[in-house]
Amino acid sequence: MKILVCVTSVPDTTTKIAFTDNKTKLNKAGVTFITGPYDDYALARAVELKEKTGASITVLNVGQADSEPVIRKCLAIGADDAIRVNAEPTDAYFVAEQIAAIAKENSYDLILMGRESIDYNGGQVHGIVGEMLGIPSISPVMLLDLDGDTARITREIEGGKEGLEAKLPLVLGCQEPIAEWKIPNMRGIMTARTKPLKVVEPTGTDTLTTVASYELPAPRGAVKMIPADEAEKLIQLLHTEAKVI
């Protein structure tokens, strides 16, 4: 079995975000990048499947050279080799097109990725990849087990969960609690240095969207404390100032 795990390189969740180039690009100065947390779940489940079935794992990232530390960490956790598409991941369609091109070339049985990246939170890539490859795409997947070429899946739906069965190949967008995050050990870190990391140039169409500008959220306002016996005043403020009722 061949598993492809697609990962994103995203700013750490504690990063203070700033923009440059007239608010059209992230200012990367001083920013620590990490593997997308949902991608970490996908990779952790892939490693578990590898241990159970003897599958091989390839990690794929669409990004510049500065994403390679994130890729090496994935190799240290248990992936066998990696591919980096040498391009800025500027929109979902472009990224999906790169993933689909690699998948067509290598015929993977299972394509795993996070349900969304935590920078743009689009949640679109897995669906577009499935459409481009002509195979099912399911998200957000909470549980995944394999029985031969059949995947048994539990995914989250509004107000509950849904159990599904589907034949491989599949594209799955993953989330907790599909697996527990894995921390690379020293042996994994050492062996990751020698594992293959292939860099390829992008293919297909140019980016279909461009960023007009980014905006930071409004700063938090001051907190107003209302005495418990002044419910009418609280209701009035919620109506006239907060405008939530």
Side-chain angles (χ1 to χ4, degrees):
M1 175 179 290
K2 296 171 65 177
I3 303 175
L4 179 67
V5 180
C6 307
V7 301
T8 54
S9 176
V10 297
D12 186 279
T13 52
T14 61
T15 297
K16 291 186 177 180
I17 298 299
F19 303 112
T20 186
D21 289 3
N22 198 28
K23 295 185 178 182
T24 60
K25 292 182 180 179
L26 171 69
N27 185 352
K28 295 183 179 181
V31 175
T32 299
F33 285 84
I34 61 171
T35 309
Y38 294 115
D39 304 327
D40 266 329
Y41 287 116
L43 177 61
R45 187 58 184 140
V47 171
E48 292 173 351
L49 293 173
K50 174 184 175 179
E51 293 169 349
K52 183 178 180 180
T53 67
S56 65
I57 302 173
T58 297
V59 166
L60 173 61
N61 169 260
V62 180
Q64 305 287 356
D66 56 8
S67 66
E68 290 193 4
V70 164
I71 300 171
R72 288 292 178 191
K73 181 183 176 182
C74 294
L75 293 170
I77 288 172
D80 298 290
D81 60 271
I83 300 170
R84 179 174 67 82
V85 179
N86 189 33
E88 193 70 27
T90 45
D91 75 6
Y93 188 91
F94 177 78
V95 171
E97 194 169 32
Q98 309 314 308
I99 296 171
I102 298 295
K104 288 176 182 177
E105 185 178 334
N106 295 279
S107 300
Y108 296 99
D109 301 290
L110 187 60
I111 302 174
L112 303 179
M113 63 187 74
R115 74 175 194 185
E116 63 186 10
S117 63
I118 64 164
D119 48 5
Y120 291 98
N121 299 97
Q124 304 176 64
V125 173
H126 39 72
I128 301 173
V129 171
E131 178 66 22
M132 288 179 169
L133 297 176
I135 60 177
S137 170
I138 301 170
S139 181
V141 175
M142 305 170 65
L143 297 172
L144 168 64
D145 288 302
L146 297 179
D147 182 6
D149 65 348
T150 300
R152 292 189 174 90
I153 296 161
T154 300
R155 73 167 178 169
E156 184 177 13
I157 59 173
E158 186 173 355
K161 302 175 183 177
E162 180 181 48
L164 301 168
E165 287 190 1
K167 293 290 185 181
L168 302 181
L170 291 171
V171 181
L172 303 180
C174 304
Q175 69 171 39
E176 74 284 354
I178 193 169
E180 292 187 7
W181 287 345
K182 298 188 181 298
I183 299 173
N185 56 34
M186 184 55 65
R187 181 182 179 185
I189 293 170
M190 297 299 291
T191 57
R193 298 177 181 178
T194 59
K195 289 182 178 179
L197 197 171
K198 181 181 179 182
V199 179
V200 300
E201 293 304 314
T203 186
T205 60
D206 294 330
T207 300
L208 300 180
T209 60
T210 57
V211 174
S213 68
Y214 292 112
E215 297 289 340
L216 292 173
R220 292 182 179 180
V223 175
K224 290 185 178 180
M225 303 297 293
I226 308 299
D229 58 352
E230 296 185 18
E232 291 185 3
K233 182 177 181 181
L234 174 61
I235 294 171
Q236 181 185 11
L237 291 173
L238 290 173
H239 178 67
T240 59
E241 292 190 15
K243 298 182 178 179
V244 294
I245 61 172

